Amino acid sequence: MNTMHSQTTKLKLNCLVYIQHLQNIKRSIFAFLLCLPTSLIALILLLLLFYNGFTVFYLHLPFPSNPQPEPANFSYENLAKNPLKKLPASVMYAVKEDTPQVILKTLLPLLQNPAITMTPINHSVVFKPKKTHGYKAVKRMLRSADNLKRFSTGVREFFGKHGCKVRFFMTWISSLKSFGDREVFSVESLFRSHPDACLVIVSNSMDSESGSLVLKPFLDKGFKLIAVKPDFDYLFKDTHAEKWFKGLKKGNVSPGEVSLGQNMSNLVRLALLYKFGGIYMDTDVIVLKRFTKLKNVIGAQTIDLETRNWSRLNNAVLIFDKKHPLLYKFIEEFALTFDGNKWGHNGPYLVSRVVSRVSGRPGFNFTVLPPSAFYPVSWSRIRSLFRGPRDKVHSTWLHKKLEQIKSESFAVHLWNKQSREIKVESGSIINYIMLDCCVFCNSSSSSL
């Protein structure tokens, strides 16, 4: 018992000595700190705060592996041989959203962004945008097209007067000054292949006295075309776009960072075809041959090199009957998933998302054409069509490519954003196409 008591007492004494030793160390540290300059102490405290903040806010997130794309059984070879063959019933597609870079003087690689979900998200009326100067400009643009009831009567009278069986539509959202040689030549190529067609250009700037001067040479040759300001309320009536547009005018829908005019063009082309039926094409598309044998058609922009199935569609050329159910789905998708901050989300990626979901469902009857139909050259290689021959090898390649395009393509999309500043060189593919597709044939080819 005495031994245990002695050991306990000894342990207590050791603890007291250890505590006293720690207190001495503490006093020494404080004494050392008091001897340091004030600036050095502040630096030490700042480092301690930084370390504390880093440990509090640092999160480790595991990087998810890239999902494998769903298999698809779209056959590029079959469509090339029989372009009007309907899509098979059990088709699934992998749709990826990415933003193409503007090509100025060099070819740049395409930067891929992560794949997005194909589930519609209703966030078109989530918040009210700030009343910035840019948004006031948006309001002015929308007001300028209000109460234009003459749009519906004007278009119907135009079609009825001329008995238009082949109906083309274009939209022009920019200034009249911007409607240059390229846009005029697009119209030339349209009428060169379809002299019996009727063309409606939906535009505020083109529907003017100055705009009529641009169109006058075509009218003088007997071609049938008009420019008319849009009536958005009429075009969107009885579709999902009607509610979306009302929210936009009230300020309950954010127009986003991407040009609202561009997104309105994406929607208007769908509404035009849904209301009237016909053919829509961008103003940077050159028509090579007649479209009259095409019915309810959309073109693939790219294909998967391994599976040969389409990986992305495009909306630069659309051919559909009036009130086609796929157009209704396109408009619905626009209204439910509108995002004004993502380039292409409401355009090419939209049609890709919808087609991937409705393929195989009863009631949808349409055809996806291979890239060669409207997009024989990708945006990243469009410069190659503007270059003249550099040597014999290059000259041989140019002639083979030209013959391939003439044989397989209905039109050529020029990818305006990437090729706008590129000059047409003598002996280039575009040079030969312009000679074949012109109506006036008296303008300088290099100005396209």
Side-chain angles (χ1 to χ4, degrees):
M1 181 69 70
N2 292 333
T3 303
M4 290 181 61
H5 180 72
S6 175
Q7 290 177 349
T8 303
T9 303
K10 187 177 180 179
L11 182 62
K12 289 181 178 180
L13 290 173
N14 288 336
C15 289
L16 290 173
V17 171
Y18 179 71
I19 292 172
Q20 185 65 35
H21 182 65
L22 289 177
Q23 289 177 345
N24 291 336
I25 292 175
K26 183 178 179 181
R27 292 192 189 96
S28 299
I29 292 174
F30 276 110
F32 173 74
L33 291 175
L34 290 174
C35 294
L36 294 175
T38 305
S39 59
L40 184 58
I41 296 175
L43 178 62
I44 294 173
L45 292 175
L46 183 62
L47 292 174
L48 290 173
L49 287 173
F50 176 77
Y51 173 78
N52 181 64
F54 179 79
T55 56
V56 170
F57 293 104
Y58 175 76
L59 293 175
H60 176 71
L61 298 177
F63 189 79
S65 59
N66 291 329
Q68 294 296 323
E70 295 286 347
N73 57 3
F74 172 90
S75 172
Y76 176 85
E77 289 81 8
N78 289 343
L79 278 180
K81 295 177 182 178
N82 185 12
L84 294 180
K85 182 178 179 180
K86 291 192 294 184
L87 284 172
S90 56
V91 182
M92 290 295 293
Y93 307 91
V95 180
K96 214 173 201 180
E97 292 204 7
D98 52 29
T99 303
Q101 300 172 344
V102 178
I103 297 180
L104 296 178
K105 294 187 178 180
T106 58
L107 295 178
L108 302 178
L110 177 65
L111 300 178
Q112 300 288 340
N113 288 337
I116 65 159
T117 176
M118 288 195 282
T119 304
I121 302 173
N122 188 356
H123 54 76
S124 61
V125 290
V126 172
F127 66 97
K128 192 170 183 177
K130 295 180 180 180
K131 303 295 186 179
T132 61
H133 174 73
Y135 192 75
K136 289 180 180 178
V138 168
K139 296 285 284 185
R140 285 196 300 270
M141 184 191 78
L142 298 180
R143 280 200 304 267
S144 68
D146 285 345
N147 302 317
L148 296 176
K149 301 306 178 186
R150 68 183 184 86
F151 172 85
S152 59
T153 55
V155 172
R156 293 182 187 279
E157 289 177 359
F158 173 71
F159 286 151
K161 175 183 178 182
H162 298 290
C164 303
K165 294 183 179 180
V166 183
R167 301 175 177 181
F168 277 85
F169 295 94
M170 290 179 171
T171 61
W172 184 250
I173 59 175
S174 301
S175 66
L176 180 62
K177 185 178 180 181
S178 301
F179 198 90
D181 293 338
R182 175 169 295 192
E183 290 72 30
V184 170
F185 188 78
S186 179
V187 176
E188 281 190 55
S189 69
L190 185 161
F191 284 121
R192 177 66 180 261
S193 297
H194 305 79
D196 56 337
C198 295
L199 171 62
V200 175
I201 302 175
V202 179
S203 170
N204 284 318
S205 60
M206 292 293 291
D207 184 7
S208 62
E209 290 186 9
S210 299
S212 63
L213 296 178
V214 176
L215 304 182
K216 187 176 184 301
F218 293 98
L219 296 171
D220 291 343
K221 277 189 170 290
F223 296 121
K224 295 162 286 190
L225 73 165
I226 60 168
V228 58
K229 292 182 175 68
D231 181 351
F232 297 127
D233 291 325
Y234 168 78
L235 286 171
F236 303 153
K237 186 176 177 59
D238 298 328
T239 70
H240 285 79
E242 184 176 11
K243 182 178 180 180
W244 175 87
F245 183 62
K246 287 180 180 178
L248 181 68
K249 289 195 293 185
K250 291 178 180 178
N252 296 325
V253 174
S254 170
E257 298 297 324
V258 178
S259 164
L260 178 63
Q262 178 180 315
N263 282 321
M264 290 298 290
S265 175
N266 286 327
L267 181 56
V268 166
R269 70 188 67 183
L270 302 175
L272 284 167
L273 296 185
Y274 187 72
K275 291 286 185 183
F276 300 102
I279 303 166
Y280 170 84
M281 56 178 269
D282 280 350
T283 54
D284 59 345
V285 171
I286 298 178
V287 181
L288 304 180
K289 60 185 67 167
R290 289 184 67 82
F291 291 176
T292 48
K293 292 183 179 180
L294 303 179
K295 183 179 178 67
N296 298 323
V297 159
I298 189 170
Q301 175 182 326
T302 57
I303 59 172
D304 187 291
L305 296 179
E306 293 182 0
T307 64
R308 310 302 292 177
N309 304 318
W310 71 262
S311 56
R312 186 182 310 146
L313 307 180
N314 199 288
N315 63 340
V317 180
L318 300 168
I319 305 172
F320 282 97
D321 293 338
K322 178 181 178 180
K323 293 193 175 180
H324 193 281
L326 185 60
L327 294 172
Y328 184 86
K329 283 294 184 181
F330 286 158
I331 296 172
E332 179 184 50
E333 178 79 2
F334 185 101
L336 295 180
T337 69
F338 176 79
D339 189 335
N341 293 313
K342 292 182 179 180
W343 183 94
H345 177 82
N346 312 300
Y349 302 119
L350 181 150
V351 295
S352 300
R353 292 194 304 269
V354 173
V355 169
S356 68
R357 290 200 298 264
V358 305
S359 293
R361 293 186 186 179
F364 292 91
N365 180 23
F366 62 94
T367 302
V368 174
L369 296 184
S372 59
F374 307 124
Y375 315 101
V377 178
S378 69
W379 63 267
S380 62
R381 297 179 180 274
I382 189 62
R383 179 181 289 271
S384 64
L385 298 189
F386 288 78
R387 287 176 172 169
R390 297 297 188 261
D391 50 43
K392 287 186 177 181
V393 175
H394 188 213
S395 178
T396 301
W397 179 87
L398 287 177
H399 283 288
K400 287 184 178 180
K401 187 65 177 178
L402 177 61
E403 291 305 314
Q404 180 187 18
I405 291 174
K406 286 183 176 181
S407 173
E408 299 178 3
S409 302
F410 289 92
V412 177
H413 188 212
L414 296 182
W415 306 106
N416 201 37
K417 184 179 289 188
Q418 282 72 38
S419 68
R420 187 68 178 180
E421 302 302 323
I422 304 175
K423 295 295 184 182
V424 180
E425 297 181 9
S426 177
S428 65
I429 292 176
I430 294 298
N431 182 206
Y432 284 112
I433 288 177
M434 291 181 68
L435 295 175
D436 289 341
C437 301
C438 61
V439 170
F440 304 112
C441 303
N442 56 1
S443 59
S444 173
S445 61
S446 64
S447 63
L448 183 63

